Amino acid sequence: MSKFVAFLALVVGLMAFGSAANAQDDSGGDDSAAETAVGGTLKTRDEAGETVFVEGVNFIVTDAEGTEVGIGTTDAEGNWSVTLPAGGEYSTLLDISTLPEGIELRNPDSNPIDFKVIEGNSKSNLFPLGERRSTDTSTIKAVQLAVDGVKLGLIIGMCAIGLSLIYGTTGLTNFSHGELVTFGAMIAFLFNVTGVFGWRTNLVFAGIISVVICGIAGGLFDRFVWRPLRNRGASLISALVVSLGFSILFRYMMLFQFGGRVQRYRSYQLQSAIDFKFFSMVPKDIFIVVFSVLVLVGVGFGLQKTRAGKAMRAVADNRDLAESSGIDVDQVIRLVWILGAALAGLGGVLFGLTETIGWEMGFRLLLLMFAGVTLGGLGTAYGALLGSLIVGIFIQMSTLIPGVTPDLKNVGALLTLIIILLVRPQGLLGRAERVG
């Protein structure tokens, strides 16, 4: 029990860094997190398609009675903000007389913007500039969504491989795996944005630190939690309930330490898209796709060619036979936990880079991970990757169907999962087993 308490203290200590750092802004103040404000970034594109930030434009903010609250002016990076006295209803007017010559509002009828803000929160107002570029809304949109689906599927697959390997070697359905994804994103955010003892680093190094810490946490989690449960003969149902408990515990620990507001990394946020004729991608998305493919190819090579990888596949295939062959099953399971947690942390960093970071991001991704793992075949790393790619592509492509809004796109992936499992219950790459 003392070892288990020490493990929890380690996790709480790591996340306490984020609580302490999140309480202060870059200037050393401690009230910025509770500030009520409105702001935004004003930018347009030049003839070459490059992003241009617009400086010196005024935004006039008034309250519900029409009383002026403040004026914000864009800086050299197009950013502006106005501190609000309290939560409530407000209106933001862009002073068009301060726009540079040749630049106009895309939607003049949407100026001013009326909005509501909750006390202690910040609101973003967007004022698109310039004419909307005409695009082919049939083929180009479908190709763009397919590319976005591949990117999402690779991230889901990276997170799901560990989930599948853990199930294959231990039979455990780990519902706390999603919190490892969130933990990885939060650790990278901690080192990249809030800082640890005043020290911050670029996102690449922060991501490396996050992967290492997540791998260590996964090994400790197995050593002090799951291994004692296995040695005591705990049933898989009991272990599943324990994983549910840890999922809820860690999720709300992260909510307590980091708050409920979504965040973004400091690096690689404002990038110009590269046009590939039928689709476009920003450089960070190109990196995510290429890097994910390299990592997953490396994982596949390791599982096929290395001694540890062959031992993992042997334990997943037949644990008793592997143990009788001289394989240290406990050591293999520990390696699986380290590898799975490290991949989950890396997936969290990449997912946070492409979207936003929040305390529930891993939990939202967990359902898609389970869908990918089940679709591909439980216990197989390659099945998890294949199933995740199918889920990611279908999620994005389903928005082409009339009536399917972005809020409903995950439902289509689950319907696909149900249909495929009705035809092939073992999954696409799973093996059929005799029952009875």
Side-chain angles (χ1 to χ4, degrees), residues 148-161:
D148 292 341
V150 170
K151 180 189 68 177
L152 176 61
L154 288 172
I155 295 176
I156 296 173
M158 186 176 300
C159 300
I161 284 178

Side-chain angles (χ1 to χ4, degrees), residues 301-428:
F301 179 83
L303 289 174
Q304 290 291 336
K305 301 298 182 181
T306 65
R307 185 175 181 180
K310 293 177 180 178
M312 292 178 190
R313 291 191 293 117
V315 173
D317 186 62
N318 191 318
R319 175 173 176 169
D320 294 333
L321 181 59
E323 192 169 18
S324 65
S325 302
I327 296 176
D328 188 342
V329 173
D330 284 333
Q331 180 67 21
V332 170
I333 293 175
R334 187 177 302 116
L335 289 175
V336 166
W337 272 97
I338 293 173
L339 175 63
L343 288 174
L346 179 58
V349 174
L350 298 180
F351 190 60
L353 180 60
T354 190
E355 295 196 12
T356 55
I357 306 164
W359 66 285
E360 275 193 315
M361 59 181 290
F363 180 70
R364 289 187 288 107
L365 204 61
L366 181 65
L367 184 62
L368 303 181
M369 284 190 279
F370 275 126
V373 169
T374 308
L375 181 60
L378 289 171
T380 65
Y382 303 114
L385 175 58
L386 177 61
S388 298
L389 282 172
I390 294 175
V391 168
I393 293 173
F394 192 87
I395 284 175
Q396 299 295 347
M397 297 289 287
S398 63
T399 57
L400 291 173
I401 302 173
V404 178
T405 64
D407 294 333
L408 296 175
K409 60 184 181 181
N410 290 354
V411 176
L414 301 180
L415 290 177
T416 304
L417 170 66
I418 294 172
I419 293 173
I420 291 180
L421 292 183
L422 287 175
V423 178
R424 189 175 173 84
Q426 69 270 28
L428 296 176

Side-chain angles (χ1 to χ4, degrees), residues 255-274:
L255 171 63
F256 176 77
Q257 298 292 350
F258 288 91
R261 296 166 58 187
V262 296
Q263 305 282 354
R264 293 184 183 274
Y265 292 124
R266 183 166 53 94
S267 308
Y268 312 115
Q269 290 304 316
L270 297 175
Q271 294 184 328
S272 299
I274 300 175

